[in-house]
Structure formats: structure tokens, C-alpha cells
């Protein structure tokens, strides 16, 4: 059974810092990995999606990397801003196509960026 | 274009009561999903519907039933609520069962006392 772990569970940084959020998964047979953002009381918004054949994806100040063989992904946030404060979740989709679009989520990292 | 909408936003139930959580999407998506989110545990899939007329169990289906009423609507029913079902429930949809992206609703916060 796939298990996804995110460390740390919470992180507080001053504005302007570069930071890295970690995601690890136990079964390397994945189809893709996604990073989501969740604001308090809101649903999830997709940030980046990395296919299993890719090593990284970038969007603005965000860069996500994937090392499938070691079961790890990182989300790098450059020049953090207070508006980046949210919970960040990673989710993996199994490589077995019979599983359809069933995602396994990590527990999330709650990020606070202080002005 | 409202995306994915859920009702109600908040609900308090007593143990043993029943209720239905409603979800609707206006994106003409084929696939819809129900998740629950508990503190520190991420989201876990309860049930999903790959297309209109079909439903399948996810990781944690016990204590729940679902109905795919039509292409737009996918409801989740708790027949006899238990305190262990206190959680935040999210509905999501995607164009089809193989599409990469899921679009999430704002969630329903349910407390069972």
C-alpha cells in the first residue's frame, strides 16, 4: 500500500527566505506526483504536476523535483512572501492504470511566512 | 462558472443521525470523487464515480454510501453518523478517470457529537 509522508508538518520562516518542502513515498511505481496548496477553510488548488518520466517542473517562484527511484519529491519556494502562507500537500497517482485517478495524499506541511 | 460546489458548509450531527452531503460541478466532467481530511492525515478517498452511472469504493468507504444522480451531481450519505466520521469532506471532479487534474470544492466541515 502506498504511503506518502511530508516533513516537516509545520514550518515558519521570515519573508524573503528560500525554502524546501519534502515529500516521500514508499512505492516508486507512480504515474505522476502533484503538489497542491490549501488555504484555511478552502479546497485544494493544484500547483505543479510532475510526470513519472520528468525530473522537475517550474511555475514562477515554485520548482518541484522528482526522484522516483528514491521515492522523494521536493517543492522549492524562492523568495517566500506572506501570501505563500498555506498548507502544501503532495499526492501521488499509482502507476497501475486500473486504479484510475485515485490519489494518495501526504499529511501536508503548514507554512507560515512572517512579514 | 462556479466549478465544484458543496452544501452545506458546516453541519453538526448527533450520533446515529443521518445526512446527505451534496456536490455539483458545472464543468461537464465525467469523474467525481469524495475525500475526507483528518488532521495530519492528508486526504483519503471515500468513493469515486468514474462516469455517470458508476461508483466504486476508495480507501475508506465504510459507513458511507454515494449516489451519482446525474453527470453534474454526486452525493455522499451517512446513514448512521458516528464520532469517527467527524472530518472535513471534499468533493472533486476531473474530466475523466485518466485525466491528471482534479478540481476541488471548498469542503464541508462535519462534527458528530
Amino acid at each position: 500500500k502506498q504511503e506518502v509522508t511530508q516533513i516537516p508538518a509545520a514550518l515558519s520562516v521570515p519573508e524573503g527566505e528560500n525554502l524546501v518542502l519534502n515529500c516521500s513515498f514508499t512505492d516508486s511505481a507512480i504515474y505522476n506526483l502533484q503538489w497542491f496548496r490549501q488555504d484555511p477553510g478552502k479546497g485544494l488548488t493544484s500547483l505543479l504536476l510532475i510526470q513519472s518520466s520528468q525530473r522537475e517542473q517550474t511555475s514562477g517562484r515554485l520548482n518541484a523535483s522528482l526522484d522516483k527511484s528514491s521515492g522523494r519529491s521536493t517543492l522549492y519556494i524562492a523568495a517566500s512572501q506572506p501570501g505563500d502562507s498555506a498548507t502544501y500537500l503532495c499526492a501521488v497517482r499509482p502507476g497501475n492504470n486500473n486504479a484510475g485517478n485515485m490519489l494518495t495524499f501526504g499529511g501536508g506541511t503548514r507554512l507560515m511566512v512572517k512579514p | 462558472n462556479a466549478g465544484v460546489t458543496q452544501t452545506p458548509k458546516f453541519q453538526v450531527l448527533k450520533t446515529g443521525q443521518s445526512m446527505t452531503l451534496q456536490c455539483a460541478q458545472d464543468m461537464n466532467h465525467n469523474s467525481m470523487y469524495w475525500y475526507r481530511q483528518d488532521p495530519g492525515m492528508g486526504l483519503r478517498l471515500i468513493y469515486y464515480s468514474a462516469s455517470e452511472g458508476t461508483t466504486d469504493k476508495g480507501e475508506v468507504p465504510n459507513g458511507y454510501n454515494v449516489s451519482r444522480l446525474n453527470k453534474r451531481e454526486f452525493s455522499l450519505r451517512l446513514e448512521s453518523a458516528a464520532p469517527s466520521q467527524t472530518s472535513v469532506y471534499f468533493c472533486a471532479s476531473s474530466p475523466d478517470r485518466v485525466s491528471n487534474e482534479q478540481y476541488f470544492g471548498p469542503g464541508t466541515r462535519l462534527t458528530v457529537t
Side-chain angles (χ1 to χ4, degrees), chain B:
Chain B
N1 187 338
V4 179
T5 57
Q6 294 182 234
T7 56
K9 286 187 166 49
F10 302 93
Q11 184 71 48
V12 179
L13 291 178
K14 291 185 178 357
T15 297
Q17 288 185 317
S18 62
M19 79 160 296
T20 300
L21 281 64
Q22 307 287 354
C23 173
Q25 51 89 11
D26 62 2
M27 296 174 283
N28 201 34
H29 285 171
N30 286 308
S31 300
M32 298 184 73
Y33 312 82
W34 275 107
Y35 293 90
R36 61 178 287 173
Q37 184 178 32
D38 301 302
M41 294 190 70
L43 279 73
R44 292 181 292 169
L45 184 66
I46 305 171
Y47 271 94
Y48 69 101
S49 171
S51 60
E52 187 179 354
T54 69
T55 60
D56 286 285
K57 295 178 180 179
E59 182 184 355
V60 288
N62 291 345
Y64 305 95
N65 285 303
V66 291
S67 295
R68 184 73 182 268
L69 304 170
N70 48 54
K71 191 171 186 179
R72 289 187 64 248
E73 299 172 288
F74 188 38
S75 63
L76 178 72
R77 183 159 178 84
L78 287 70
E79 290 291 351
S80 179
S84 61
Q85 294 178 306
T86 294
S87 189
V88 182
Y89 291 85
F90 288 99
C91 177
S93 70
S94 65
D96 51 53
R97 71 188 295 272
V98 296
S99 172
N100 285 321
E101 195 148 5
Q102 293 186 15
Y103 297 80
F104 285 79
T108 294
R109 186 174 296 275
L110 175 67
T111 301
V112 183
T113 61

Side-chain angles (χ1 to χ4, degrees), chain A residues 18-98:
Chain A
N18 302 323
L19 57 99
V20 174
L21 307 182
N22 297 295
C23 172
S24 61
F25 46 95
T26 54
D27 186 348
S28 62
I30 65 170
Y31 187 80
N32 60 39
L33 182 145
Q34 275 186 276
W35 282 93
F36 292 87
R37 171 183 172 136
Q38 183 178 27
D39 293 289
K42 302 287 181 61
L44 278 66
T45 301
S46 180
L47 296 173
L48 289 165
L49 183 147
I50 312 177
Q51 301 291 354
S52 63
S53 59
Q54 296 176 319
R55 297 283 294 181
E56 65 179 321
Q57 282 285 344
T58 298
S59 176
R61 293 182 294 108
L62 306 180
N63 176 279
S65 68
L66 174 65
D67 184 344
K68 200 173 71 160
S69 61
S70 67
R72 295 180 188 276
S73 175
T74 61
L75 179 67
Y76 175 83
I77 303 176
S80 58
Q81 302 170 359
D84 295 329
S85 298
T87 296
Y88 292 80
L89 297 109
C90 69
V92 299
R93 179 177 167 184
N96 176 1
N97 196 43
N98 290 332

